[in-house]
Amino acid sequence: MTDVQTTRYDDQKPGTSGLRKTVSVFKQPHYLENFVQAIFDCVPELKGGLLILGGDGRYHNDVAIQTILRIAAANGVAKVMVGKDGILSTPAVSNMIRQYGANGGFVLSASHNPGGPDGDFGIKYNVSNGGPAATSLTDAVFERTKVMEHYQIADGHVDLSTLGHSNLGAMAVSVFDPVTDYADLMETLFDFETIRRFLTSDLSLIFDAMHAVTGPYAQEIFVRRLGVNSDALMNATPLPDFGGGHPDPNPVYAKALFDRMFGDDAPDFGAASDGDGDRNIVLGRGVYVSPSDSLAVITANAHLAPAYRDGIKGVARSMPTSRASDVVAAAMGIESFETPTGWKYFGNLLDAGRITVCGEESAGTSSDHVREKDGLWAILMWLNILAVRRLSVQDILTDHWATYGRHYYSRHDYESVAADKAEDVMARLQGQLTTLPGTTLRKETISAADSFTYHDPIDGSVTENQGLRVMFESGSRFVMRLSGTGTAGATLRLYLEAYEPKDGDHHADLSKRLEPIAAIAEDLTNLRQTVGRDGPSVVS
Ligand code: G6P
Ligand code: ZN
């Protein structure tokens, strides 16, 4: 074991989802080592403990895993379980931590950000409930990185290409199959027999793994266990640079999937996941299900899947996610919660048994089976619902809107804008918040406007400045916030939501229906001119 005198970095503050930087930043001497050592310093129970380790297979994954193994050995970890070839999806890490009672786990991923030598890399620490570390821990880790002077590292190398047990110094290392336990878990939650019958007789499916981590999981679950033909899988081989694309399932980066689903002879059902397998999108023939609607539909229909047969306890959504799930929860008489963006905020509610399902507009949906969002879980939930109800995706949505009303919804991203300009836009809106209520703009009267503060009902913690909300009497709304996951400049997100009650028009053109709300947002913020853009970089 070597004790290395290190050079500190001052930029190791984890964002919405761990420490995410370009590969070039991570390749600086001691950069990863410092961050990992800081975690060991802040989580003493890892000494003598069990750790889960894996990532989405992106460039630098293999190098980083060897480094983490060597630091773990030097810090007295008793055992590390690492996915074969260093592969583990984010929800699979969460499941492994829970299933094997591990003290924690590392997820190596920059999620949907591009990979490769010029792409991004990331590391996130998950705690013993399987979920991302709370802000109190990530803050402590950041503070530690600013004062630490040494890290400990052992010598050695682990062959990750062969299943089995070995040792690195005194630490046991187990290289395991990353797919089986996760696929088994899915089989306990959903009615695979009914889904299999439906998929092999009535429903055509395509799934786009985007050359990212879900390829092997999809192969096992869809092809081997559910009988789908393997040509239904697109881009199912994980590649370190994701084939040069962004593994982000949105209309821009999953264009081939969208083209198929909106083209002639579209299959009945299309879906995709992201780099590390925690996100999902669902499409029907000629229809895209907004993630906010997906959460609402799942809330209303989860009881059709075996594990949720007795009903769900409650539902939570992140603040910018549309309020569609609130309406379902109210009708069902269950609790609903609004949390800040970031999966970690669902952890307490899940652990306390207050909610069963939760989701975010950013294509994340999951339940209490793990403590991460789970792309394949959401897709299987949809398949289970479709297989029982025997309706098309469009018919499910149409029926849902007729029952609960529709929240037309869209997110406009202004990516990589100058950080000071983005701050100016936020400050401009923030400065008007107190005077807005009661004002009528473009025939919409503002009922409330605020900067979102979350009071965690379980531990009483308070999280401020989580985005600006402008609410209208019509039930419509817009939200503006700065992304916490970007690595270049700032990304401003504008979330538009227009409510149409259950007897209204649910089939209007989406952008037309949102136009007045978008125009008010522009009036109030002068967004486009301030950041010097004609329009958003991505609309989803
Ligand atoms: C990650 C987090 C999510 C979050 C998303 C977008 O995927 O796990 O919880 O919703 O990033 O975050 P951002 O701060 O970029 O809007
Ligand atoms: Zn992800």
Side-chain angles (χ1 to χ4, degrees), residues 15-18 20 111-112 124 132 274 276 278-279 318 320-321 340-346 360-364 372-373 411 413 481-486 491 493 495:
T16 309
S17 207
R20 205 173 281 181
S111 188
H112 50 288
K124 187 170 72 157
D274 71 332
D276 60 326
D278 57 358
R279 296 187 173 199
S318 67
T321 305
T341 293
W343 203 263
K344 59 189 173 200
Y345 294 102
F346 295 133
E360 295 186 277
E361 48 67 36
S362 55
E372 286 280 2
K373 53 185 179 274
R411 185 176 100 184
D413 294 335
R481 61 178 281 281
L482 290 171
S483 158
T485 55
T491 293
R493 303 202 196 284
Y495 310 81

Side-chain angles (χ1 to χ4, degrees), residues 64 70 88:
R70 291 169 54 205
L88 263 182

Side-chain angles (χ1 to χ4, degrees), residues 252-386:
V252 175
Y253 301 124
K255 188 170 183 309
L257 173 71
F258 278 79
D259 286 349
R260 289 263 323 260
M261 294 308 297
F262 283 88
D264 298 336
D265 296 327
D268 301 309
F269 184 88
S273 190
D274 71 332
D276 60 326
D278 57 358
R279 296 187 173 199
N280 79 92
I281 52 164
V282 165
L283 299 100
R285 186 179 293 150
V287 53
Y288 166 65
V289 181
S290 101
S292 298
D293 276 348
S294 180
L295 177 63
V297 167
I298 287 174
T299 304
N301 292 277
H303 62 277
L304 301 176
Y308 309 91
R309 176 179 297 136
D310 298 335
I312 60 176
K313 294 173 195 143
V315 55
R317 60 167 175 85
S318 67
M319 183 274 278
T321 305
S322 98
R323 292 168 294 178
S325 59
D326 301 11
V327 176
V328 177
M332 292 172 70
I334 57 174
E335 281 194 293
S336 64
F337 299 88
E338 181 175 39
T339 58
T341 293
W343 203 263
K344 59 189 173 200
Y345 294 102
F346 295 133
N348 281 345
L349 294 167
L350 290 162
D351 285 349
R354 294 281 283 274
I355 59 169
T356 306
V357 295
C358 43
E360 295 186 277
E361 48 67 36
S362 55
T365 333
S366 194
S367 83
D368 57 3
H369 67 291
V370 286
R371 293 292 181 273
E372 286 280 2
K373 53 185 179 274
D374 189 343
L376 286 167
W377 175 89
I379 294 162
L380 288 165
M381 176 60 98
W382 266 89
L383 290 173
N384 201 140
I385 293 167
L386 292 169

Side-chain angles (χ1 to χ4, degrees), residues 92-236:
V93 170
S94 188
N95 176 51
M96 292 299 294
I97 293 173
R98 296 168 68 79
Q99 187 173 333
Y100 292 89
N103 301 79
F106 284 104
V107 190
L108 303 178
S109 171
S111 188
H112 50 288
N113 293 7
D118 302 321
D120 289 340
F121 191 74
I123 174 166
K124 187 170 72 157
Y125 180 69
N126 280 23
V127 295
S128 59
N129 74 350
T135 314
S136 51
L137 175 54
T138 56
D139 284 350
V141 170
F142 178 47
E143 292 308 317
R144 181 74 197 143
T145 62
K146 292 192 286 189
V147 297
M148 62 191 297
E149 293 182 340
H150 301 261
Y151 63 83
Q152 279 78 49
I153 190 158
D155 287 330
H157 181 91
V158 175
D159 173 12
L160 298 178
S161 64
T162 320
L163 296 175
H165 303 281
S166 61
N167 270 73
L168 192 73
M171 182 178 82
V173 180
S174 158
V175 177
F176 66 93
D177 167 46
V179 173
T180 306
D181 285 323
Y182 176 83
D184 289 350
L185 171 68
M186 292 300 116
E187 213 164 335
T188 67
L189 303 176
F190 300 111
D191 183 350
F192 269 39
E193 198 37 53
T194 301
I195 298 174
R196 171 190 263 276
R197 250 184 283 122
F198 191 53
L199 281 174
T200 46
S201 58
D202 295 298
L203 183 109
S204 52
L205 162 146
I206 49 172
F207 173 75
D208 189 350
M210 305 194 82
H211 286 307
V213 79
T214 49
Y217 294 84
Q219 191 72 39
E220 172 67 20
I221 293 172
F222 293 131
V223 177
R224 223 183 65 73
R225 301 199 188 192
L226 292 172
V228 169
N229 205 307
S230 61
D231 60 16
L233 304 187
M234 301 163 65
N235 306 316

Side-chain angles (χ1 to χ4, degrees), residues 15-17 279 318-321 339-343 345 360-362 409 411-414 417 422-423 425-426 429 451-452 464-469 477-486 490-495 525 527:
T16 309
S17 207
R279 296 187 173 199
S318 67
M319 183 274 278
T321 305
T339 58
T341 293
W343 203 263
Y345 294 102
E360 295 186 277
E361 48 67 36
S362 55
Y409 187 85
R411 185 176 100 184
H412 291 189
D413 294 335
Y414 292 78
V417 299
E423 299 283 0
V425 174
M426 293 296 287
L429 182 57
S451 170
F452 179 60
E464 294 178 315
N465 297 324
Q466 294 302 303
L468 307 177
R469 307 188 289 184
R477 177 180 88 149
F478 79 84
V479 167
M480 196 172 264
R481 61 178 281 281
L482 290 171
S483 158
T485 55
T491 293
L492 251 181
R493 303 202 196 284
L494 171 63
Y495 310 81
T525 59
L527 162 63

